Amino acid sequence: MVTEREAEIFRILQQHPSISQNELAAQLGIARSSAAVHIANLQKKGYILGKGYILNNSSYVLGVGAANVDIHGRSKKAFVMHDSNPGYMSSSAGGVTRNVCENLARLGASVKLISAVGTDVYADQIRRECRAAGIDISHLYTVEGAHSSTYMSLLDENGDMFVALSDMHVLQKLPLSYLSGKQSLIRGARIVTCDPSLPEATILHLLDLCGEDVPVYVDPVSTAYARVLAPHIGRFDTAKPNVLELEILSGRAVTDAQSLEDAGCAVLDKGLRRLFVSLGKDGCLYMDREGTVLRRKLRPLEKMQNATGAGDAFMAAVIYSTLSGFSTERTLDYGLAAGIAAISHEKTINPDMSAALVESIIKEYAL
């Protein structure tokens, strides 16, 4: 993981690869010896290959997790139970990890995906939409004769989720040996992002393959999956739960602002490095092992189109911001703005997602 200063130096070297250490130090306002230390660290981390500032431009994020087709139905009016409700239907490629990867690709990051798909029309749709978004899907695992993962959600007349159903059984058939065969790919990633739709044994094997050198990010997704993650949360670098999921990860009830922070501390004490707690319309709480506690909020969107993809967009923006060396405050703003971009479109992924769109939302919705 690069520091904010190292990321700044890497960007300068990309623009001026022949710059001297003295010139670099003068531009940054630091001593030449300090610049030399930062450059040495970038070499150790693989961002600079040898002498002459030969930069490693093959840096990528690897997603390991769900890739499925999302089927959304939105009611025109309040639901009438046990009856047929007029509404609107749509489908698009989805899956938490795949969604994070697509948002990242649209933000400009290099992204690769490991997942399992079947041999049905849904697999064709997943591949087609991933390629169109710029995701490298050459490492997908195909399960012959199986159905691809599917997620079905019903949204009320306001765009809020009413109920959802998921079928991720194909992920159970992703062999551990297949992941082992991708060890060099996994170890070469700057960041690995995953979701707990994977079997617990697969998650633990992935963490083993990443070791201590490759940070792993995770979104608990639901309270049920949070229970699977809870015993192992200390092995991850960064997590993005909501309040209900945080209660399960920490084993503590959250009733007010203080108990919220206490629960966050309990999770960090397990070994997690960074924690982003989604607070809905109240923004986000950030905490880390260095003792930083920060709350951030943007003005809420007046009319939401689809709440499904907000968390995935937030996680993608956090990863993008980390790779870019942004400050914690700017990272939070990026995450919140990306979430607004997501819920402002009827599809799970806003096709207009970009760094420019996120920047414009930060300016428009800043409090």
Side-chain angles (χ1 to χ4, degrees):
M1 182 66 62
V2 296
T3 65
E4 189 170 337
R5 175 66 83 185
E6 289 166 358
E8 182 180 12
I9 290 174
F10 186 76
R11 289 195 294 271
I12 293 173
L13 295 179
Q14 285 180 307
Q15 298 171 3
H16 307 287
S18 62
I19 192 171
S20 69
Q21 288 188 4
N22 284 329
E23 292 171 327
L24 179 63
Q27 183 171 334
L28 295 171
I30 61 176
R32 189 206 61 78
S33 58
S34 297
V37 170
H38 290 307
I39 290 171
N41 288 336
L42 285 169
Q43 289 175 326
K44 291 177 183 177
K45 296 175 182 180
Y47 284 84
I48 299 176
L49 308 177
K51 297 180 179 180
Y53 304 149
I54 303 171
L55 304 182
N56 182 0
N57 292 313
S58 63
S59 177
Y60 59 88
V61 176
L62 176 64
V64 184
N68 46 261
V69 167
D70 289 347
I71 302 172
H72 298 300
R74 178 170 178 173
S75 181
K76 290 183 177 180
K77 299 180 180 180
F79 276 109
V80 177
M81 300 302 295
H82 310 296
D83 197 4
S84 177
N85 292 264
Y88 307 93
M89 302 292 292
S90 64
S91 71
S92 60
V96 170
T97 294
R98 198 217 66 87
N99 289 347
V100 173
C101 288
E102 178 169 343
N103 278 297
L104 268 168
R106 293 187 181 280
L107 286 169
S110 176
V111 188
K112 303 177 187 293
L113 174 65
I114 294 177
S115 187
V117 295
T119 50
D120 53 7
V121 294
Y122 285 165
D124 296 336
Q125 183 176 354
I126 291 167
R127 289 191 177 94
R128 183 172 62 252
E129 294 193 27
C130 283
R131 290 193 187 101
I135 301 171
D136 179 350
I137 56 169
S138 60
H139 304 283
L140 286 183
Y141 180 78
T142 302
V143 183
E144 292 295 330
H147 299 293
S148 297
S149 296
T150 310
Y151 173 85
M152 181 182 296
S153 68
L154 292 180
L155 310 177
D156 64 20
E157 71 276 16
N158 299 314
D160 279 325
M161 184 190 296
F162 182 74
V163 69
L165 185 68
S166 63
D167 179 357
M168 306 289 181
H169 286 95
V170 72
L171 288 175
Q172 304 289 328
K173 299 180 180 180
L174 180 65
L176 296 184
S177 59
Y178 185 77
L179 277 187
S180 296
K182 300 294 181 180
Q183 182 171 4
S184 60
L185 177 74
I186 294 169
R187 297 285 294 174
R190 295 301 177 197
I191 292 173
V192 168
T193 181
C194 71
D195 68 76
S197 301
L198 295 166
E200 184 175 10
T202 305
I203 294 172
L204 294 178
H205 190 52
L206 176 63
L207 289 167
D208 288 340
L209 291 172
C210 290
E212 297 182 0
D213 297 326
V214 182
V216 184
Y217 290 35
V218 68
D219 184 335
V221 179
S222 69
T223 55
Y225 282 137
R227 291 186 178 91
V228 176
L229 289 178
H232 318 294
I233 194 64
R235 298 188 62 186
F236 292 89
D237 179 273
T238 298
K240 190 204 72 62
N242 61 24
V243 174
L244 293 177
E245 294 156 0
L246 177 64
E247 287 185 323
I248 292 170
L249 294 177
S250 65
R252 292 170 174 261
V254 175
T255 57
D256 54 23
Q258 185 58 55
S259 61
L260 176 65
E261 292 187 17
D262 289 344
C265 288
V267 175
L268 293 170
D269 286 344
K270 294 182 179 183
L272 188 75
R273 188 176 71 88
R274 296 194 305 172
L275 180 67
F276 294 82
V277 184
S278 174
L279 303 177
K281 293 182 179 180
D282 291 323
C284 182
L285 167 69
Y286 171 83
M287 300 178 67
D288 60 34
R289 295 193 69 189
E290 284 69 48
T292 305
V293 178
L294 183 64
R295 290 174 183 264
R296 206 74 169 179
K297 181 180 179 181
L298 295 180
R299 180 168 54 84
L301 185 70
E302 291 184 3
K303 186 171 180 59
M304 176 172 54
Q305 296 299 317
N306 183 351
T308 305
D312 304 335
F314 185 101
M315 177 64 91
V318 166
I319 295 173
Y320 176 81
S321 299
T322 302
L323 293 173
S324 301
F326 292 167
S327 67
T328 301
E329 291 84 355
R330 185 164 173 77
T331 297
L332 288 168
D333 285 347
Y334 248 71
L336 293 168
I340 291 174
I343 64 176
S344 65
H345 199 276
E346 63 180 12
K347 291 187 176 181
T348 306
I349 308 295
N350 187 331
D352 298 320
M353 178 65 75
S354 66
L357 175 61
V358 172
E359 295 279 3
S360 68
I361 290 174
I362 292 174
K363 292 179 180 178
E364 181 179 355
Y365 287 84
L367 293 173

